Amino acid sequence: MNGAQAAGDVWDRNDLKLDGGRVIDRRVYRSKDIYQAELAQLFTKTWQWVGHESEVPAFGDYLTVQLAGRPIIVARGEEGRLRAFYNSCTHRGAMLATAAKGNCGGSFTCMYHAWSFDTAGKLESVPKAEAYGAELKKACYDSPAVRLDTFCGNIFVNIDGKAPPLDEFLGASKQHITEATEGQEVLGRVRWKLEGNWKLWHDNFRDNYHPMFTHQVLTFLYQGVEIKGENHDLGGGHSYMKFPPQGSGDSYAKFVQRLTGRAYAGAPAMGTPDKQAYHVIMAVFPNLDIQFGGGNGSPYSSYSVLEVVRPISVSEAIIEIVAFGHVGEPEAVRQERLESLLSIQTSSGKVSADDTEAARRCTIGLGASEAMRWSNMGRGQAPGMSGAKNDEYSLRGFYSEYKKYMGDILRSENN
Ligand code: FES
Ligand SMILES: [Fe+2]
């Protein structure tokens, strides 16, 4: 339930005199103990998006990812099956693959002493093994499997193996993940390091209050228009915001010109006809965001972009942005999508650079948390789980679920 609180929750005793579901205790962005608990209780116990099947279509294709400090390989085997296992040699621990993605040719050979593993992490060969005599029980040296499942082509892994089935975990977000990624493939990824707590980035995606003020490239779209749209807590920590494009066709032309420096010559054919004009920003618990939409007559119609943020310390995170395109689109359209992504949503993109700066300012500002412990996320007064575009049901839904995973550590006064 939106804003659900445990009895005796210290968040209820906040200085802002708000319901504890309407505030954020700023320690969640700064406490090293809370960060360690997030790794142990959140990132290992939830399903984590790691890639899309289109990125690993053939036998031997693999991708690598680091989750909660654990290096993981996802590889496609001979029979077409995807498997995940630890990217760590069972001999002395060296990584088996260092590239973000590639093709292993059927096996991963460790660079250190050349032990070799198949696409399921099974130890295949050990050079000069006779020196081990009968001691070397090869079956004890397979790299342990990591639980893997897919939904609509999206690959998820669960480190502790005990999360609910993926379908159940994704819950009400499934319908929208399907809308965003069905019939699509990954065109490319961009990643960069955020100097800030991972939740600052994820909060920002659930926050539709800021764009009209933060993003100078967008502000004029909001002038003199009635702001419409929806903001939903979908339950399970997932959220969904849907809104029509702001501004008119003319203002979109101006927007494109500002972004690209080129005159806007009208929307190119994007492969999929525009049916409906809308933007969606959805968040999948705990650290995945998907933006998609279509039909506004801009070159960015029928787009899908996915973002995942993974912490590497309490104050640093890797942000990865993944561009999708419809299967079978012309090369020129794919190029346009990638260029749009670079100009809008990368570390130097005209929108994401603002969000990065907001996170940086929050990170420094939160240094004053001892003097001011609580942040407000109380927008939207209608009871229930849904409100208007700029409300914060989406944020409250995240922290309600976050509290369930984090448990007692948030109720302690001493982190
Ligand atoms: S650490 Fe991999 S073979 Fe020795
Ligand atoms: Fe933003």
Side-chain angles (χ1 to χ4, degrees), residues 321-381:
I321 303 206
V322 186
F324 281 80
H326 298 278
V327 172
E329 275 180 337
E331 191 52 39
V333 174
R334 290 168 172 247
Q335 197 58 36
E336 180 79 34
R337 288 188 187 283
L338 290 171
E339 284 177 18
S340 302
L341 181 76
L342 287 174
S343 61
I344 300 173
Q345 277 177 311
T346 55
S347 54
S348 59
K350 291 184 177 68
V351 172
S352 290
D354 300 333
D355 295 321
T356 303
E357 174 63 9
R360 189 187 73 84
R361 292 190 192 192
C362 286
T363 299
I364 296 170
L366 289 166
S369 293
E370 271 178 21
M372 47 186 98
R373 180 170 161 186
W374 306 98
S375 288
N376 181 305
M377 54 176 179
R379 295 179 64 81
Q381 301 304 310

Side-chain angles (χ1 to χ4, degrees), residues 89 91-94 96 110 112-115:
C89 181
H91 179 218
R92 301 269 183 83
L96 297 172
C110 181
Y112 205 178
H113 312 92
W115 286 27

Side-chain angles (χ1 to χ4, degrees), residues 16 114 143 164 180 183 197 205 236 266 301 345 355 380 390 410:
L16 305 181
S143 179
N197 183 271
F205 263 83
S301 59
Q345 277 177 311
D355 295 321
N390 296 355
L410 299 183

Side-chain angles (χ1 to χ4, degrees), residues 141-402:
Y141 294 88
D142 295 340
S143 179
V146 177
R147 188 180 179 203
L148 178 149
D149 203 352
T150 62
F151 177 75
C152 200
N154 294 283
I155 308 166
F156 293 81
V157 301
N158 163 227
I159 292 173
D160 83 345
K162 295 178 186 156
L166 180 61
D167 257 30
E168 188 183 318
F169 177 84
L170 294 176
S173 73
K174 279 193 305 184
Q175 174 194 341
H176 308 302
I177 295 174
T178 303
E179 287 164 11
T181 59
E182 191 170 43
Q184 306 227 12
E185 60 187 336
V186 169
L187 304 183
R189 299 188 185 205
V190 182
R191 60 178 70 84
W192 76 91
K193 191 165 117 182
L194 178 78
E195 302 288 343
N197 183 271
W198 68 277
K199 294 186 296 303
L200 290 171
W201 188 260
H202 197 52
D203 290 354
N204 180 70
F205 263 83
R206 293 168 181 257
D207 171 347
N208 230 325
Y209 182 28
H210 79 276
M212 71 180 99
F213 310 111
T214 305
H215 301 304
Q216 295 301 307
V217 74
L218 300 177
T219 47
F220 70 97
L221 293 174
Y222 290 90
Q223 285 160 12
V225 297
E226 188 192 348
I227 295 170
K228 296 179 186 152
E230 309 157 24
N231 183 304
H232 304 279
D233 167 5
L234 294 176
H238 314 305
S239 65
Y240 177 82
M241 296 181 279
K242 181 173 182 175
F243 48 97
Q246 308 296 326
S248 62
D250 278 358
S251 56
Y252 255 100
K254 205 162 134 198
F255 170 60
V256 171
Q257 218 161 337
R258 280 191 181 193
L259 278 176
T260 63
R262 287 183 267 130
Y264 177 54
M270 294 299 279
T272 297
D274 296 344
K275 292 193 184 105
Q276 206 187 345
Y278 63 89
H279 294 298
V280 169
I281 301 177
M282 64 169 303
V284 179
F285 189 79
N287 61 332
L288 174 65
D289 302 289
I290 307 176
Q291 293 184 64
F292 65 96
N296 54 31
S298 82
Y300 314 113
S301 59
S302 304
Y303 68 95
S304 276
V305 173
L306 181 150
E307 297 204 14
V308 60
V309 55
R310 302 185 184 106
I312 51 175
S313 77
V314 67
S315 56
E316 299 164 301
I318 299 295
I319 297 169
E320 195 159 42
I321 303 206
V322 186
F324 281 80
H326 298 278
V327 172
E329 275 180 337
E331 191 52 39
V333 174
R334 290 168 172 247
Q335 197 58 36
E336 180 79 34
R337 288 188 187 283
L338 290 171
E339 284 177 18
S340 302
L341 181 76
L342 287 174
S343 61
I344 300 173
Q345 277 177 311
T346 55
S347 54
S348 59
K350 291 184 177 68
V351 172
S352 290
D354 300 333
D355 295 321
T356 303
E357 174 63 9
R360 189 187 73 84
R361 292 190 192 192
C362 286
T363 299
I364 296 170
L366 289 166
S369 293
E370 271 178 21
M372 47 186 98
R373 180 170 161 186
W374 306 98
S375 288
N376 181 305
M377 54 176 179
R379 295 179 64 81
Q381 301 304 310
M385 298 166 75
S386 296
K389 172 179 181 277
N390 296 355
D391 289 345
E392 291 170 338
Y393 295 85
S394 43
L395 270 168
R396 294 195 288 275
F398 171 81
Y399 281 100
S400 174
E401 192 71 10
Y402 175 84

